[in-house]
């Protein structure tokens, strides 16, 4: 799902939301749903995904079959977009299968992920900004951060050691990096963090991570603005 910049309709800004799927017959991506958004809150995204799930018609006689056939979902880096999707998905599953699932269970059962391309684009922009990273160390910074994507589920200590190494070496990027290890983001972006909620080894991280969505998004936006994102 892609969330495109605002278009102007009179005095109001209307964003465009497009969810696409790959057609295995034509080997091309085709749009499934295009929505003119009146805003970018959880509620706005919820209504987009509510319509999507109602029309997608994923096969499955029960929840396990649904999990097996669900095509997965890749989203932009937006907590509001992810929350809206999970809200719509919880409601859909409750109505269709008469069971209730938590956000964590949905993330664990289904292939829900963030687009790593967006993460890498922001990473490269931060690396190019000499306010954060000395130009002679930009390549080293990029390589060290990309290592976080390569740790597998269960490699918790290795992931945390690498994260702390980056924080100690590049002290000015702490808030930017911490934004990406919020539980709602880290569990979807980094394979090593898939069990963030249930693994006690992650508990010490939660004290470092902002728990206010608006504040966290504001901090990330600030870093993106400074980096030219």
């Amino acid at each position: 799902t892609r969330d495109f910049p605002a278009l102007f309709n009179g005095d109001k800004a209307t964003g465009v939301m497009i969810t696409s799927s790959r057609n295995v017959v034509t080997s091309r991506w085709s749009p499934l749903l295009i929505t003119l958004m009146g805003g970018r809150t959880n509620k706005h995204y919820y209504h987009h995904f509510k319509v999507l799930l109602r029309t997608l018609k994923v096969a499955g006689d029960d929840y396990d079959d649904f999990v097996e056939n669900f095509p997965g979902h890749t989203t932009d880096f937006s907590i509001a977009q992810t929350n809206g999707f999970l809200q719509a998905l919880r409601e859909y599953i409750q109505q269709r299968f008469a069971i209730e699932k938590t956000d964590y269970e949905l993330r664990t059962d289904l292939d829900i992920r963030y687009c790593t391309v967006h993460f890498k684009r922001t990473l490269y922009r931060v690396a190019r900004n000499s306010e954060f990273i000395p130009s002679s160390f930009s390549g080293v910074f990029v390589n060290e951060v990309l290592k976080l994507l390569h740790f597998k589920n269960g490699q918790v200590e290795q992931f945390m050691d690498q994260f702390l190494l980056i924080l100690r070496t590049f002290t000015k990027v702490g808030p930017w990096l911490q934004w990406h290890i919020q539980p709602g983001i880290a569990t979807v972006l980094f394979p090593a963090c898939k069990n963030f909620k249930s693994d006690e080894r992650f508990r010490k991280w939660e004290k470092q991570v902002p728990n206010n969505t608006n504040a966290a998004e504001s901090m990330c936006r600030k870093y993106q603005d400074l980096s030219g994102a």
Side-chain angles (χ1 to χ4, degrees):
T1 298
R2 294 292 309 278
D3 189 7
F4 290 89
L7 304 174
F8 286 93
N9 178 16
D11 295 330
K12 296 183 178 179
T14 304
V16 178
M17 187 83 157
I18 301 178
T19 296
S20 303
S21 180
R22 182 173 176 78
N23 188 314
V24 295
V25 177
T26 63
S27 296
R28 294 184 178 183
W29 288 88
S30 303
L32 300 177
L33 180 64
I34 301 174
T35 304
L36 294 178
M37 308 286 285
R40 294 183 175 181
T41 66
N42 292 6
K43 185 176 180 180
H44 289 92
Y45 291 118
Y46 158 76
H47 286 293
H48 170 88
F49 290 118
K50 181 179 180 179
V51 173
L52 176 68
L53 291 168
R54 190 171 65 234
T55 57
L56 195 56
K57 296 181 180 178
V58 178
D61 295 328
D62 55 28
Y63 178 71
D64 290 337
D65 286 342
F66 175 82
V67 170
E68 184 69 25
N69 292 304
F70 188 75
H73 182 246
T74 302
T75 181
D76 289 350
F77 273 105
S78 167
I79 294 177
Q81 185 181 136
T82 302
N83 287 344
F85 173 71
L86 290 172
Q87 180 185 351
L89 187 57
R90 283 198 313 272
E91 181 181 290
Y92 175 83
I93 288 173
Q94 198 280 329
Q95 292 176 349
R96 180 171 174 180
F97 303 112
I99 59 175
E100 294 186 3
K101 291 288 181 177
T102 65
D103 288 354
Y104 174 73
E105 289 174 325
L106 292 176
R107 288 193 180 100
T108 302
D109 294 344
L110 303 172
D111 188 12
I112 301 172
R113 57 194 178 274
Y114 284 116
C115 178
T116 56
V117 171
H118 289 79
F119 175 70
K120 291 176 181 178
R121 284 175 181 169
T122 306
L123 167 62
Y124 294 139
R125 287 166 179 156
V126 171
R128 289 196 298 267
N129 193 315
S130 58
E131 283 190 50
F132 304 141
I133 308 297
S135 57
S136 58
F137 289 94
S138 60
V140 175
F141 170 69
V142 168
N143 289 335
E144 293 302 313
V145 174
L146 289 178
K147 289 179 182 179
L148 296 174
L149 294 170
H150 297 153
F151 294 113
K152 298 179 181 179
N153 186 19
Q155 293 183 305
V156 176
E157 287 86 359
Q158 297 94 318
F159 178 89
M160 291 195 291
D161 287 345
Q162 180 64 19
F163 180 90
L164 293 174
L165 174 64
I166 297 169
L167 284 184
R168 289 194 300 266
T169 307
F170 304 99
T171 57
K172 294 184 178 181
V173 300
W176 174 79
L177 198 57
Q178 285 181 320
W179 185 85
H180 290 92
I181 62 159
Q182 295 177 86
I185 294 175
T187 54
V188 183
L189 176 62
F190 301 112
C193 297
K194 188 174 181 65
N195 296 322
F196 197 110
K197 285 288 187 181
S198 59
D199 196 322
E200 288 300 320
R201 291 174 291 181
F202 283 113
R203 293 290 70 79
K204 62 182 180 182
W205 291 80
E206 292 188 312
K207 296 179 181 179
Q208 304 178 49
V209 180
N211 58 15
N212 181 284
T213 299
N214 293 329
E217 293 222 24
S218 176
M219 176 58 72
C220 185
R221 182 73 263 171
K222 179 179 179 181
Y223 269 75
Q224 289 176 337
D225 289 342
L226 288 172
S227 63

